[in-house]
Amino acid sequence: MTKAIRMMEENLRLVDALIYVIDSRAVYSSNNPLFDKLIAGKKVLYVFNKCDLVEGRDLAPWCEKFSAENKPYVKAVGTSGDCSAIVSGLKKIAADKIERFGERGANVSVRAMVVGVPNSGKSTVINAMCRRAGAVTGDRPGVTRGKQWMSIDGVDFLDTPGTLWGKFEEESVAKHLAYIGSIRDEVLDIGDLVYEFLDEIKAEYGANIAARYGMTELPDDTIGIFDAIAQARGFKVRGGEPDYDRTAKCVMDDFRKGRLGKIMLEKPQKHGLTLKKRG
């Protein structure tokens, strides 16, 4: 973490703007307080990535909030292969530089650093912008380990490692980052994590759970939901007891891949969330 932040700070003078990639399912938790210093004094384009995994009506209040705070943003689906809106958005916020050089009859590239928490889809977004697999991507946090420059259509991008901060002041933030895969599963108890996940979403997204696992009725208690999913998938250990570990991995993968339907973990109108500094 410290190494990554130091590398960003060292390269900050080389860029005109930052592209801040946010996971649309957890907008608040995707806001890394360590980036506050990087953002200060720099132009920033926020990217609501993975917006296909949430309902547009749920993302709209976040968009309105960012607009009210004069934070330029675009919506993107990195896996779609088309993130041209990011290139256009970046050129728009850097228009003064482009115009200044244009008046002298010179073309100039806009240089941007791409930042975000692990697994927010930074490298996938860059690949989509470049329309080729030039940056290493993966479905686990921590894939990008060094800096990588890429160029397209008059814009140079510097990819950076996904970065978290050292201490989570809010338990919900830690949970949500774990749900979306920003924290390595290897350091988590996946069974406990998925129990918390199901317990959190069952009231609002119970129909999604029931539809995914073929339930006619969702059990009232969370452990009952766990058992029903295990039974529906045939996940059992010796003796016929539910295989909770296998069930948990299945549920978490279904959520992260969008197979549980469109689920937003953080809604400003419901939770009263703000993008205040944390820490």
Side-chain angles (χ1 to χ4, degrees):
M1 178 181 65
T2 302
K3 182 179 179 182
I5 291 294
R6 186 179 298 117
M7 184 270 281
M8 294 178 196
E9 291 175 342
E10 290 173 351
N11 288 279
L12 199 59
R13 60 183 178 78
L14 302 177
V15 302
D16 306 299
L18 284 84
I19 298 175
Y20 200 143
V21 181
I22 293 171
D23 190 313
S24 295
R25 297 168 297 179
V27 176
Y28 179 72
S29 296
S30 293
N31 175 50
N32 186 340
L34 293 181
F35 295 156
D36 291 342
K37 183 178 178 181
L38 297 176
I39 290 175
K42 282 288 183 180
K43 297 178 179 179
V44 183
L45 178 67
Y46 295 88
V47 178
F48 290 119
N49 192 32
K50 305 183 183 182
C51 62
D52 58 319
L53 299 181
V54 300
E55 296 288 355
R57 64 176 179 271
D58 292 333
L59 187 58
W62 282 116
C63 295
E64 293 171 5
K65 178 177 178 55
F66 276 54
S67 292
E69 296 175 356
N70 295 315
K71 296 178 177 177
Y73 70 87
V74 296
K75 293 180 284 186
V77 181
T79 55
S80 71
D82 179 16
C83 286
S84 55
I86 299 176
V87 176
S88 300
L90 189 61
K91 288 184 175 181
K92 185 175 181 179
I93 67 171
D96 55 343
K97 177 182 178 180
I98 296 174
E99 293 173 1
R100 187 167 65 251
F101 278 81
E103 291 173 354
R104 304 173 187 170
N107 293 323
V108 64
S109 292
V110 177
R111 308 197 90 188
M113 180 185 296
V114 187
V115 301
V117 299
N119 212 38
S120 58
K122 299 180 294 80
S123 296
T124 304
V125 163
I126 290 180
N127 290 346
M129 288 188 289
C130 296
R131 300 180 182 87
R132 61 187 178 87
V136 180
T137 62
D139 59 357
R140 63 188 188 281
V143 170
T144 305
R145 301 192 180 279
K147 64 178 181 179
Q148 304 180 64
W149 280 103
M150 302 183 70
S151 301
I152 179 177
D153 193 22
V155 176
D156 297 332
F157 302 98
L158 173 61
D159 195 9
T160 61
T163 309
L164 292 176
W165 55 110
K167 183 179 180 181
F168 302 115
E169 299 292 338
E170 300 165 74
E171 184 179 3
S172 62
V173 169
K175 288 180 181 179
H176 292 171
L177 288 172
Y179 298 163
I180 64 176
S182 294
I183 301 173
R184 292 186 297 113
D185 289 339
E186 291 81 3
V187 302
L188 302 167
D189 185 316
I190 193 70
D192 286 348
L193 180 68
V194 172
Y195 180 91
E196 294 285 348
F197 170 71
L198 291 172
D199 193 59
E200 181 175 338
I201 72 165
K202 66 182 181 182
E204 186 170 0
Y205 296 105
N208 296 51
I209 300 171
R212 175 60 184 169
Y213 302 111
M215 303 177 193
T216 55
E217 186 176 356
L218 195 72
D220 292 330
D221 61 310
T222 304
I223 194 64
I225 297 173
F226 228 129
D227 288 340
I229 296 173
Q231 182 177 355
R233 285 292 183 265
F235 296 153
K236 299 178 181 180
V237 295
R238 185 173 298 179
E241 293 297 315
D243 186 336
Y244 290 120
D245 186 61
R246 192 176 175 191
T247 302
K249 291 178 181 177
C250 171
V251 172
M252 204 77 274
D253 191 59
D254 282 347
F255 165 66
R256 291 172 182 171
K257 298 293 177 57
R259 293 190 289 262
L260 267 181
K262 298 185 177 185
I263 295 175
M264 176 175 275
L265 300 169
E266 300 166 351
K267 299 178 182 178
Q269 73 273 32
K270 179 178 179 181
H271 301 289
L273 300 177
T274 62
L275 288 181
K276 64 178 183 291
K277 293 184 179 180
R278 295 192 292 264

